[in-house]
Amino acid sequence: MLTVYLVALAVGGTLLVASLVFGGDHDHDPGLDDVDGAMAWLPFASLRFWIFFATFFGLTGSLLSWVSAAAVLTAILAIAIGAGSGWAMVASLRRLGRGEANSAVGSEDLVGCEAEVIIPVAKDKTGKVRAQVKSRRVNLVARTEDAVPFEKAELVMIYAIDDNGCAMITRAEKEASA
């Protein structure tokens, strides 16, 4: 039985290392990602499942055989650990694949942000502000309805973005001293 474990470890391990080195999407499971209900968790049609199953089935079986564990216990544990690792990896990667990453800065990200005036702004004079959003510095044309002008380096708050993408600013509220 040790030969079966070693072959599974060699084949699975080689495919796992190759997929890590060369990357790419090796999850050929047409339609299973779209299945709802009880069938959605079944990973058996995924190539990734079989790669992880073979690798960890072979590794577990080989190690337990090497320490002279009982053959039946070795087979049961090898199958359980191989299936568990394959299922866990497929489930994790599917969950990660569903998430959407978006680093674009939209008006919803800017409203409520503090910004620094970089070109003075007054009620009748358009200027510019710089905000730090999503680890990015964003420069925006700015306007105000406040009667008192905003000077360079003054901290302001963006309370709206108009239809032209212009930031509407007001005085940033000072934190109350304790």
Side-chain angles (χ1 to χ4, degrees), residues 133-146:
V133 182
K134 290 187 174 183
S135 300
R136 292 183 172 180
R137 285 186 179 171
V138 181
N139 293 341
L140 300 160
V141 174
R143 294 185 309 128
T144 188
E145 295 174 349
D146 291 9

Side-chain angles (χ1 to χ4, degrees), residues 2-12:
L2 178 60
T3 305
V4 172
Y5 297 134
L6 290 173
V7 168
L9 176 59
V11 171

Side-chain angles (χ1 to χ4, degrees), residues 10 27 35 44 53 55 59 61 81 90 93 116 128 132 138 164:
D27 204 15
V35 177
F44 303 117
F53 175 84
T55 302
L59 180 63
I81 290 174
V90 169
L93 292 173
E116 178 184 357
K128 273 195 172 181
Q132 184 81 22
V138 181
N164 297 322

Side-chain angles (χ1 to χ4, degrees), residues 26-107:
H26 306 290
D27 204 15
H28 303 290
D29 54 351
L32 282 183
D33 282 336
D34 301 325
V35 177
D36 290 326
M39 295 296 285
W41 61 271
L42 290 175
F44 303 117
S46 170
L47 181 58
R48 243 185 226 121
F49 171 84
W50 292 108
I51 291 171
F52 276 86
F53 175 84
T55 302
F56 289 97
F57 166 81
L59 180 63
T60 304
S62 297
L63 290 175
L64 290 176
S65 294
W66 184 61
V67 296
S68 301
V72 173
L73 177 63
T74 298
I76 291 170
L77 287 173
I79 290 168
I81 290 174
S85 65
W87 178 84
M89 186 54 62
V90 169
S92 298
L93 292 173
R94 283 183 185 167
R95 184 168 293 130
L96 287 171
R98 285 187 207 126
E100 292 182 23
N102 185 356
S103 62
V105 175
S107 58

